[in-house]
Amino acid sequence: MAHLVLDNVTKVFRGQDGREVSAVRDLSLAVGDREFMVIVGPSGCGKTTTLRLIAGLEEPTRGQVVIAGRPVNGLAARHRDLAMIFQHGALYPHLTARENIALGLRLRGAPAAETARRVAAIAETLDLTALLDRHPRALSGGERQRVAIGRALARQAQAFLFDEPFSHLDAQFRAQLRQELHRLRAQLPTAVFVTHDQAEAMALGDRVAVMRDGVLQQVDEPLRVYREPANVFVAGFLGSPPMNLFRGITKPAGLVMLFQGAQGIEIRLPADVSRALADRTGAAVILGIRAEAIGLATDGCAGASTNRVSARVEAVEPLGAVTHLHLVSGGTRFVACGPASSPPAAGSTVVVRFDPAGARCFDPVTGVALG
Ligand code: ADP
Ligand code: MG
């Protein structure tokens, strides 16, 4: 059963200039019991507002919020039994890490022995045992954020809401906290985790909900969203590098369709994509192909033909396991995956091969995926 439900929720704010801003529009999203849902999207797309609507810190302008089967519109935040963890885990500066973690339990009147036992267990899980007697000022950013998570865990709320809890930490700490969160998953109840970092979203989410301008674009398992983006926005937002997008037209070629790009790129589309384009012969489309489906042609034949094109190497990004080649062909820029060792040099000309198997087509006007 879905544990948290947003049913057609809209939130309109009146800005300082008196204009109305729809921070969240007609959002319907159901988070399953013990599911870890990640909401991802660029800054200003409505992530924090969505969390605050669930938490009861904002009331919807329209629509309904349902927690554990119970409509909660109008119910005060403190009666919703949710734990929220903010970007800057606000700890009480005059309390030690131990006292900060124990605070919720103490306020609820839990017996001292039980509180101590619970704090010790949480500190163990979060690797905080040695730091329990320190005050926040003597902790690093990552350690403070762990204490904030510990404080939320101690409360044993029925759902956890994370608002970009790692975004101000450096990359190394972020990776470490991500690992800890993975380990904690078994103990976590239902969770909604908000981030603008698509890699973090992919790594953490059971499912990922992508938002843009207050509107939900797609919600699905991370790899599904990665492989089958619902529109060009999702294709360009998720993945590093984002999906390459080529403009062109379709042309029938026997049983399948050919894609002809403005830049002389010609790609034979797989049967499923061709079927989805059956009523669009000769029409303009946008073709999306991931960098890992574009590689150097190794058979030595030069020049363009179906599924291959020559391109100039503009920049080379060696990442260790793979090299990203930033290419330009006929004025169109795209990224291909080159070999980890001895990649081509910037400024050289290469021939690349397209593997159309994972290709995706989009309507050039609406941006919506076809098929
Ligand atoms: P995110 O967390 O994705 O960055 P927010 O939910 O904070 O986005 O904000 C979404 C939009 O709503 C933004 O345009 C923001 O300026 C606006 N907004 C958020 N809160 C308020 C508010 N209290 N008053 C007016 N506008 C707001
Ligand atoms: Mg925010």
Side-chain angles (χ1 to χ4, degrees):
M1 193 187 86
H3 193 77
L4 294 175
V5 178
L6 294 161
D7 184 11
N8 225 5
V9 169
T10 293
K11 179 67 188 179
V12 180
F13 289 112
R14 193 169 288 281
Q16 281 162 344
D17 54 3
R19 277 194 317 148
E20 292 194 336
V21 183
S22 298
V24 173
R25 301 185 214 189
D26 299 324
L27 175 61
S28 289
L29 185 66
V31 185
D33 196 21
R34 304 193 73 81
E35 182 174 31
F36 199 97
M37 173 70 79
V38 177
I39 300 179
V40 66
S43 176
C45 75
K47 304 181 297 292
T48 295
T49 304
T50 302
L51 278 195
R52 290 173 60 83
L53 285 162
I54 297 171
L57 300 171
E58 301 286 355
E59 274 300 305
T61 308
R62 285 187 295 280
Q64 182 87 181
V65 181
V66 181
I67 301 176
R70 174 180 175 212
V72 293
N73 288 31
L75 185 69
R78 65 180 182 284
H79 295 309
R80 294 193 185 190
D81 188 25
L82 304 171
M84 193 147 168
I85 294 148
F86 298 93
Q87 187 169 348
H88 295 278
L91 300 176
Y92 291 96
H94 58 288
L95 300 181
T96 62
R98 183 194 314 279
E99 289 160 345
N100 266 288
I101 295 173
L103 194 65
L105 292 166
R106 273 199 11 228
L107 291 179
R108 234 192 289 157
E114 186 202 320
T115 301
R117 204 168 42 242
R118 206 149 159 76
V119 171
I122 287 166
E124 186 71 36
T125 326
L126 288 167
D127 208 7
L128 285 170
T129 306
L131 308 173
L132 280 177
D133 292 316
R134 292 201 198 168
H135 284 83
R137 65 177 175 278
L139 297 171
S140 72
E143 289 162 352
R144 257 178 262 159
Q145 205 54 273
R146 260 145 61 198
V147 175
I149 291 172
R151 189 174 55 184
L153 277 176
R155 282 199 37 212
Q156 289 183 304
Q158 63 166 321
F160 273 47
L161 309 175
F162 296 88
D163 191 0
E164 310 220 26
F166 307 154
S167 63
H168 65 296
L169 304 175
D170 60 39
Q172 193 193 336
F173 271 131
R174 273 214 310 262
Q176 189 186 327
L177 279 172
R178 220 147 79 180
Q179 286 315 309
E180 306 218 352
L181 209 52
H182 271 299
R183 284 198 289 115
L184 273 176
R185 287 284 285 278
Q187 294 175 39
L188 282 184
T190 307
V192 182
F193 185 105
V194 155
T195 178
H196 65 272
D197 178 343
Q198 55 83 26
E200 191 166 274
M202 295 268 301
L204 286 174
D206 290 327
R207 284 190 301 159
V208 174
V210 186
M211 284 182 76
R212 177 198 197 186
D213 294 339
V215 178
L216 180 66
Q217 306 288 305
Q218 184 170 12
V219 52
D220 215 323
E221 288 161 20
L223 280 181
R224 196 73 186 266
V225 180
Y226 181 83
R227 290 186 184 139
E228 296 170 27
N231 57 41
V232 290
F233 172 78
V234 177
F237 186 75
L238 230 83
S240 178
M243 193 176 243
N244 294 301
L245 299 172
F246 300 94
R247 287 182 173 272
I249 57 161
T250 59
K251 193 179 122 183
L255 291 175
V256 295
M257 289 275 202
L258 279 184
F259 168 86
Q260 288 185 318
Q263 48 297 117
I265 293 173
E266 190 173 81
I267 294 170
R268 183 177 291 275
L269 298 173
D272 56 337
V273 180
S274 296
R275 265 196 302 281
L277 295 171
D279 57 347
R280 289 184 180 244
T281 305
V285 290
I286 294 174
L287 181 73
I289 297 195
R290 290 274 176 202
E292 57 268 30
I294 312 176
L296 295 179
T298 49
D299 55 10
C301 298
S305 63
T306 300
N307 290 359
R308 53 198 291 152
V309 74
S310 71
R312 195 166 54 79
V313 181
E314 281 207 315
V316 179
E317 276 180 8
L319 300 177
V322 67
T323 303
H324 286 160
L325 303 173
H326 293 259
L327 305 173
V328 60
S329 179
T332 296
R333 293 196 154 70
F334 60 100
V335 183
C337 283
S341 44
S342 317
S348 63
T349 298
V350 295
V351 177
V352 292
R353 258 187 67 80
F354 295 84
D355 172 7
R360 197 140 171 88
C361 282
F362 304 94
D363 184 299
V365 178
T366 63
V368 174
L370 304 168

